[in-house]
Amino acid sequence: MSSLTEKDRPIVQLLLNTGTCPRCILRFCCVGSQALYRRPYKDLMKDLKEFLKNNQEKEDTVCLDVVDPPCKRIRLEHVEEGPDELSHNGALQQIPSVNDESTAMENSAVKVCNVCLGILQEFCEADFVKKVCHQVNSADYQFTSFVFSVSLPPQLSVREVSVYRYFFITYMRMKESNCGIKLGLSLAKDDIVQLKEAYKWIIHPQLSEELGVPADGKSLFEVSVVFAHPETEEECHFLAAACPDCFKPAKNKQSVFTRMAVIKALEKIKEEDFLKHFPCPPSSPKNLCVALEIQCNNGAVFVAGRYNKYSRNLPQTPWIIDGERKLESSVEELISEHLMAEFKAESFNFSSSGREDVDVRTLGNGRPFAIELVNPRRIHFTAEEMKGLQQTINNSSDKIQVRDLQLVTRSAIGRMKEGEEEKTKTYSALIWTDKAIQKEDIAFLDDIKELKLDQKTPLRVLHRRPLAVRCRIIHTMKAEYIDEHHFRLHLKTQAGTYIKEFVHGDFGRTKPNIGSLLNRTADILELDVESVDVDWPPTLDN
Amino acid sequence: RICVITLAEAHPLLQSGKTIKSINYQISANCSRLQNKVSGKSKRGAQFLTELAPLCRISSSDGEEYTIYSCIRGRLIEVNENILSNPAILQEKPSTEGYIAVVLPKFEESKSITQGLLTQKEYEEVLLKRLNSS
């Protein structure tokens, strides 16, 4: 094994004898060659044995010193110094002598690794890969790449620390002082290959081949596996006693022992405390980890468009009070229904550039909207298919119509919301007056430009909005005389203007208002949105 | 359910011949309805009103003083400051621009409050009875 050098020998020997699997050994030796990890398990085992044997045969003073005598010396010291030194529960166990090497190694070939608990053993094999891919394929998702995310049980961090920090570092220190030789070990923690990283090195190519698509960190399609090891679940608990402030119970987490909390505690805990409660090296478990869940998730897709509303009896979102639906259907349901079916999504989030009341129509180019489809199974749609979808929606209802239906990115939503605050809208209102009017009486309205209004929060929404005064501008108006008590008013206003209140005055809380301008009592009979002046989403040839 | 408090039809102030001299929202040494400040959706900081809480006192030019009561329990959202600057609208448009105050009862009490009020018809019957008995 070319990547292993002389200085690794003691580590390899030590870990092999105490139940660590070959791949974890490679990790602790800071071997960075991905190809090595991908070699079959049996081959790796053989290679390690070869490595140890070869070095033994060489006549190398350093070797001999390092391997043989110190072991015996430690045992001697152990006897001399008596129980005090090693009164810790499970601290530095006796290092088996070189002679036991072969048997120990044979045993460890079948033993579950005491560091990775089988992750770098069983769970790198073709069987597991097949199992994962079977799940993925049966979930029936459309994807062109994948990201594989793995959730490891927190005990692994504890065991890693136990081996790295307390086992062979201490062992090395002892050997250095015993042999009087500087082994020159500069085992920086950062050089050790992380378990997750090594695991991905091994499993990504296998998954990639089986699924037929590349692994890509930025992929929207996520395959996630959660591993657990119930046998050793309680191993972390001693940390709670040693570092109680790291473990705050969070409401939505089942266990307080999250990976992050455990890692934090491991950094804080004092050496003596750790050694008191946790065996070094860690014990070999009886069982492997279990893969609890294998789940697939696709990133959300966004569909945007513009809708027209032709009904005066349709809310934008479902109107349900105390579990009872007050009005049938809604704009969002009529649009989303078909999208949900086609994209096979789990759920949706509907948003639009502003809203209109139940009894207000939306005419003209319509109002921009966007729907986030959560965890869709189908994500690829051509422009043709989108047009077809648009047609389906339009055929299904005469209450709403959609146009410019297209796929957009998440960032595009920002543009739509911008429209809600900043862009102008035009309206058409049918107005009634108590006292008779003549054409001349309303003509002056056409000449009023940039009329400033002060609108207190309308009474009709006051129960659910804060009380405030809004300054809004009516840019232009145009009045169309109908008869002595009716006329139609077209207006272009700033976003956020309450039109109904501008007409009837809302108990005098919107000033000025049509009533005050005409010196009459006025009320609004009908309101239509003529246009929402936002130039998004891009217009398509519909 | 938002409630708007206004003068009832039959209120003396709305009968012909009465002119309003002044309207005062300072109902006691410590309490002025004008100082009512609410914030947020839940209208925190609002003065809480019971049925008999005075909203304002109105003096007419013939020396009479009338106290207008809340009549319902709830948070005081706002009082109508327009009637201070233009008392005429109180008599001209008592049910719209001449309103007295806006009150928001507790959601749970909404229904019971509504049930405790009279409908337009019931009110007219009360007025009739009053006329007939006097």
Side-chain angles (χ1 to χ4, degrees), chain A residues 322 456-457 459 461-467 504 506-509 511 513 520-521, chain B residues 1-2 4 6 38 40-41 43 77-80 82 93 95-97 99 102 104:
Chain A
D322 295 331
K456 278 199 192 155
T457 309
L459 290 177
V461 299
L462 193 49
H463 61 284
R464 56 185 165 87
R465 295 267 174 79
L467 179 65
H504 60 61
D506 192 34
F507 290 71
R509 298 164 75 255
K511 290 191 282 208
N513 55 74
R520 286 160 171 78
T521 302
Chain B
R1 288 269 153 85
I2 286 280
V4 182
T6 65
V38 299
K41 256 194 250 185
K43 321 295 184 286
I77 305 297
E78 67 180 40
V79 290
N80 190 357
N82 294 331
K93 296 197 169 154
S95 304
T96 55
E97 278 158 62
Y99 72 96
V102 177
L104 180 65

Side-chain angles (χ1 to χ4, degrees), chain A residues 156-168:
Chain A
L156 293 187
S157 312
V158 182
R159 284 166 167 264
E160 185 104 354
V161 160
S162 164
V163 171
Y164 167 68
R165 236 194 271 171
Y166 301 113
F167 189 41
F168 71 70

Side-chain angles (χ1 to χ4, degrees), chain A residues 256-511:
Chain A
V256 159
F257 297 100
T258 61
R259 249 185 108 63
M260 287 316 303
V262 166
I263 291 173
K264 223 170 148 199
L266 287 171
E267 281 167 18
K268 280 182 91 179
I269 194 171
K270 296 202 196 84
E271 193 168 320
E272 315 89 67
D273 288 334
F274 187 93
L275 290 172
K276 236 188 269 183
H277 298 276
F278 199 81
C280 300
S283 57
S284 293
K286 287 196 214 89
N287 303 308
L288 287 169
C289 277
V290 267
L292 279 184
E293 317 167 356
I294 301 170
Q295 280 190 339
C296 301
N297 192 300
N298 232 341
V301 290
F302 295 86
V303 176
R306 298 180 85 108
Y307 71 82
N308 284 101
K309 178 172 175 274
Y310 298 120
S311 161
R312 290 199 188 279
N313 228 338
L314 188 68
Q316 209 199 47
T317 53
W319 193 347
I320 302 174
I321 301 190
D322 295 331
E324 209 187 299
R325 195 183 265 270
K326 293 289 170 184
L327 271 183
E328 201 186 300
S329 194
S330 61
V331 172
E332 84 171 23
E333 284 166 295
L334 288 175
I335 301 178
S336 317
E337 202 183 318
H338 299 277
L339 293 178
M340 286 284 283
E342 279 297 315
F343 282 80
K344 296 206 187 70
E346 225 168 69
S347 64
F348 69 87
N349 289 318
F350 181 90
S351 57
S352 62
S353 179
R355 289 185 295 187
E356 59 282 308
D357 290 338
V358 172
D359 56 353
V360 174
R361 297 187 304 176
T362 309
L363 309 174
N365 261 349
R367 186 183 293 278
F369 69 88
I371 300 184
E372 177 186 359
L373 293 157
V374 179
N375 200 9
R377 283 188 170 49
R378 277 203 64 195
I379 54 172
H380 292 301
F381 284 85
T382 62
E384 299 307 316
E385 289 172 310
M386 290 306 286
K387 257 201 213 164
L389 245 183
Q390 183 175 296
Q391 198 57 52
T392 311
I393 298 176
N394 288 340
N395 291 342
S396 70
S397 170
D398 53 0
K399 293 189 187 175
I400 54 130
Q401 292 283 286
V402 298
R403 70 180 70 207
D404 302 333
L405 199 68
Q406 56 195 272
L407 287 166
V408 295
T409 61
R410 188 188 285 270
S411 50
I413 311 281
R415 290 219 49 201
M416 177 187 75
K417 281 303 179 184
E418 192 182 280
E420 190 170 342
E421 316 268 308
E422 294 168 21
K423 307 293 186 172
T424 59
K425 324 271 160 89
T426 63
Y427 299 89
S428 163
L430 179 59
I431 301 180
W432 167 90
T433 60
D434 62 343
K435 288 196 285 214
I437 46 167
Q438 302 307 321
K439 270 211 192 108
E440 309 82 67
D441 297 321
I442 58 172
F444 76 100
L445 291 171
D446 293 2
D447 300 327
I448 303 181
K449 306 287 174 213
E450 310 302 311
L451 176 65
K452 282 215 190 87
L453 304 181
D454 284 317
Q455 300 195 286
K456 278 199 192 155
T457 309
L459 290 177
R460 63 186 169 96
V461 299
L462 193 49
H463 61 284
R464 56 185 165 87
R465 295 267 174 79
L467 179 65
V469 180
R470 287 164 190 70
C471 290
R472 290 291 186 266
I473 299 184
I474 309 257
H475 298 295
T476 61
M477 288 190 279
K478 189 160 180 354
E480 257 171 51
Y481 185 82
I482 300 179
D483 64 38
E484 289 194 336
H485 293 279
H486 300 93
F487 70 99
R488 190 168 278 282
L489 184 67
H490 298 274
L491 1 64
K492 180 165 169 177
T493 74
Q494 185 183 1
T497 312
Y498 286 97
I499 307 300
K500 293 179 181 176
E501 277 67 19
F502 170 60
V503 174
H504 60 61
D506 192 34
F507 290 71
R509 298 164 75 255
T510 288
K511 290 191 282 208

